[in-house]
């Protein structure tokens, strides 16, 4: 049976049109965009077209788009740049629920003597912007706060946050890897200095990303070498993937509204159905301010990993906030920061949809999950049956 893929916050299927757009650049059109000859020059023009498509998705200017190798590189570059251009400032503000691409980089910076403030979130996973304002000092080089959370889908008040940060004179970066393509983003309305995008979350390939850097923002490159990306990111361009990302952004811009309306209807049917059919199930995160494709549900007194293994037997792909499944030994730092009880963190499952999600897939999960939960509860070491 074909997989039932409900793990789209981990990665997405590359859209056929994206693959088609990329194919020539693995074959006959292999020129180096930096070459002087016409053969190489034609790839360079295609990169500029892709830059334009990416910029249109977030209402930026093409010159503000820097192609990178992934969301992680974009996040690391944004932080490193902010520290380099502000050598006198030694403080970063971020949140406890960021992706490891920001959190672990900040931890590394802390070992080099930087002070890091990790803002808490409330039990809905929301940020208190008043507390954030008081955390920013004259010593703050950068505030890095994600647009939407990869585990819960909770959307932070980024416009308000950006305005606060700018009024305090610090640089503002947002990791928008999970938000871009799922909700409208307009960098003309939000005074963000830098914003990260990753290709493989929006139906483009893995291994390509973008760092948006607002015109006029002081910037220091992370990868140093040749003159690619106007000296802002050295390294011969991953042309095929860049072209694929451009195509994916064009499709996201043209279809986001109707696709996400459909995705939200499916997600809500899945979520409401599971809450009704599985006792002691709770949604983690702010249900009113959430990505349309994500639900994170705790099935108390059950191991999330056991749920995933049982779902896997029916070829249903999901992910969990409990230990080990994400390659880490720790239970989800996001759910811990939200104060979700231990027994609920361990029983948490994230289901994330995409434009390819279908009614039949939701039906299958709604059929299988109540039985799985009931059987696992009967075996549960946590007591409640
Ligand atoms: N930021 C967030 C919020 C993510 O969800 C991810 C990927 O899961 C990343 C950054 C890293 O992106 P990439 O896999 O392209 O390095």
């Amino acid at each position: 049976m074909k997989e039932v893929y409900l793990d789209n916050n981990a990665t997405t299927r590359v859209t056929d049109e994206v693959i088609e757009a990329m194919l020539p650049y693995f074959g006959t059109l292999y020129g180096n965009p930096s070459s002087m000859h016409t053969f190489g020059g034609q790839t360079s023009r295609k990169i500029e077209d892709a830059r334009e498509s990416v910029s249109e998705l977030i209402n930026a200017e093409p010159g503000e788009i820097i192609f990178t190798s992934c969301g992680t590189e974009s996040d690391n570059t944004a932080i490193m740049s902010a520290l380099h251009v502000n050598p006198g400032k030694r403080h970063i503000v971020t949140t406890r629920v960021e992706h490891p691409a920001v959190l672990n980089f900040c931890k590394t910076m802390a070992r080099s003597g930087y002070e890091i403030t990790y803002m808490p979130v409330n039990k809905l996973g929301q940020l208190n912007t008043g507390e954030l304002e008081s955390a920013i000092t004259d010593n703050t080089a950068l505030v890095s706060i994600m647009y939407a959370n990869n585990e819960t889908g909770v959307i932070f008040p980024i416009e308000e946050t950006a305005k606060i940060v700018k009024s305090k004179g610090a640089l503002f970066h947002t990791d928008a890897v999970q938000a871009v393509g799922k909700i409208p983003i307009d960098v003309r309305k939000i005074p963000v200095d830098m914003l990260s995008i990753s290709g493989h979350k929006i139906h483009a390939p893995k291994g390509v990303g973008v760092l948006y850097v607002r015109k006029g923002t002081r910037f220091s490159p992370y990868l140093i070498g040749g003159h690619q990306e106007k000296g802002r990111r050295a390294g011969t361009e991953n042309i095929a993937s860049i072209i694929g990302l451009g195509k994916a952004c064009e499709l996201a811009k043209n279809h986001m509204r109707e696709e996400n309306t459909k995705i939200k209807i499916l997600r809500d049917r899945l979520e409401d159905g599971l809450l009704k059919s599985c006792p002691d199930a709770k949604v983690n995160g702010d249900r009113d301010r959430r990505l349309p494709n994500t639900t994170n549900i705790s099935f108390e007194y059950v191991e999330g990993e056991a749920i995933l293994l049982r779902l896997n037997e029916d070829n249903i792909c999901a992910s969990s906030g409990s230990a080990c499944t994400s390659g880490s030994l720790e239970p989800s730092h996001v759910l811990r920061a939200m104060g979700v009880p231990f027994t609920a963190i361990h029983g948490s499952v994230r289901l994330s949809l995409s434009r390819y999600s279908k009614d039949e897939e939701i039906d299958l999960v709604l059929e299988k999950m109540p039985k799985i939960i009931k059987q696992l509860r009967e075996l549960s070491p946590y007591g409640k049956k």
Side-chain angles (χ1 to χ4, degrees), residues 100 104 305 308 319-332:
N104 288 343
E305 285 168 302
L308 293 192
S319 67
S320 146
S322 76
C324 300
T325 50
S326 53
S328 120
L329 293 172
E330 292 286 311
S332 159

Side-chain angles (χ1 to χ4, degrees), residues 9-10 70-72 75 99 101 146 148 150 175 177-178 198 200-201:
N9 285 10
C70 57
T72 301
D75 287 345
H99 188 271
M146 69 198 324
N150 44 304
D175 174 345
V177 162
Q178 292 290 346
S198 170
H200 72 108
K201 311 292 183 181

